[in-house]
Amino acid sequence: MELKNKKRIYIVLVIMVCAIIFSLSYYIAIDKIKSNNKENRDDKIQVNNVNDEMEKIAVQGNADEKIYPETSIVFQIRYKKSGDKITEKAEKGKNIKEKTRNTLEERYKKEDYKLEEASSAKIVLVKEVDKYSPNKYVLGIKGDYIAIFRTDSTGEMYIEDEAKDVTTKKIDNLKEQDINLLTNGNRYFQCNTREEALSRLEDYD
């Protein structure tokens, strides 16, 4: 009887050990398979990313170099005193002689334009000028006094009426920082109407 009990215990132990070994082997195998699959996916992602980047670089290089008939070529002026950027004109690639970005850039460099944006769809050339925007009223200095100036169609400043537009506010009473701003220009001093410019003058009462 005792022998039979020992035999049963031995069989149970053998079964348990086999079950444990099988379970461990199963989980190790599954983990290994998952790990291999992840590495393969990562490799594929990395290869795909590299390929995508290479394609983007190739496309950009070709698009930036060649000017197509439907490429939009935009000419803009940036007015430094106000920070405004205004489009002068826009052309289609088919209407210009230059057929590559480099030749276009060289052609307009002589007129102080710089390439700011370039793609197969659009090329932007910008010229920077030390002026306020056209057709505005701006505060500035005339002699020893603050004055209201008008800008013409090119941004050049002039006084419309000296009797009205040259004020009695002397710059002697201003801080050096204010004199520098009025001399060099600042967006704050640019106004759409004479009335707006007059309201800016109240800062110096």
Side-chain angles (χ1 to χ4, degrees):
M1 191 73 177
E2 189 178 341
L3 188 61
K4 282 184 180 179
N5 285 337
K6 283 183 179 179
K7 196 173 180 181
R8 278 200 201 106
I9 292 169
Y10 176 75
I11 291 168
V12 169
L13 284 172
V14 168
I15 292 170
M16 285 178 67
V17 169
C18 287
I20 290 168
I21 290 170
F22 174 79
S23 297
L24 284 171
S25 300
Y26 176 79
Y27 284 117
I28 288 168
I30 291 295
D31 190 55
K32 183 109 175 143
I33 290 167
K34 283 182 180 177
S35 179
N36 287 339
N37 285 341
K38 185 177 184 303
E39 284 176 9
N40 289 337
R41 280 200 305 272
D42 288 345
D43 288 343
K44 283 179 184 175
I45 288 168
Q46 285 177 356
V47 169
N48 288 338
N49 285 343
V50 169
N51 287 339
D52 288 345
E53 289 302 316
M54 292 298 287
E55 284 176 11
K56 282 179 186 175
I57 290 167
V59 169
Q60 280 183 343
N62 292 333
D64 285 350
E65 186 60 33
K66 186 175 179 181
I67 297 174
Y68 295 94
E70 292 306 309
T71 301
S72 178
I73 300 162
V74 181
F75 295 85
Q76 297 180 330
I77 295 181
R78 182 183 287 115
Y79 294 90
K80 284 174 68 175
K81 288 183 185 291
S82 65
D84 293 333
K85 191 160 64 174
I86 296 174
T87 298
E88 281 185 293
K89 61 178 180 176
E91 297 278 0
K92 287 291 184 185
K94 61 187 175 185
N95 298 327
I96 62 167
K97 290 188 292 185
E98 293 76 22
K99 297 306 173 189
T100 66
R101 186 192 69 186
N102 289 341
T103 55
L104 182 74
E105 192 175 3
E106 282 300 314
R107 157 76 175 81
Y108 286 99
K109 192 185 287 184
K110 298 168 188 173
E111 298 178 32
D112 298 324
Y113 285 94
K114 291 182 181 176
L115 190 72
E116 190 165 274
E117 180 185 330
S119 70
S120 59
K122 187 178 182 182
I123 293 174
V124 179
L125 294 158
V126 179
K127 176 162 60 173
E128 199 167 65
V129 294
D130 191 22
K131 298 177 181 179
Y132 282 106
S133 299
N135 306 313
K136 302 289 183 181
Y137 289 89
V138 299
L139 294 190
I141 296 172
K142 174 77 173 177
D144 295 326
Y145 299 91
I146 300 175
I148 297 173
F149 289 82
R150 189 86 162 94
T151 59
D152 64 16
S153 59
T154 65
E156 294 293 338
M157 294 166 61
Y158 66 97
I159 301 281
E160 280 187 311
D161 184 342
E162 290 209 14
K164 288 195 307 183
D165 294 331
V166 179
T167 72
T168 56
K169 300 177 191 294
K170 294 198 74 170
I171 61 171
D172 293 348
N173 302 321
L174 301 180
K175 296 176 183 175
E176 188 177 343
Q177 183 182 0
D178 290 330
I179 293 171
N180 287 335
L181 287 172
L182 285 163
T183 302
N184 298 320
N186 186 278
R187 185 176 183 82
Y188 177 74
F189 299 131
Q190 178 176 290
C191 307
N192 291 320
T193 64
R194 193 173 183 282
E195 288 68 30
E196 283 182 53
L198 286 169
S199 70
R200 295 280 192 277
L201 280 172
E202 293 174 6
D203 294 345
Y204 303 102
D205 286 341

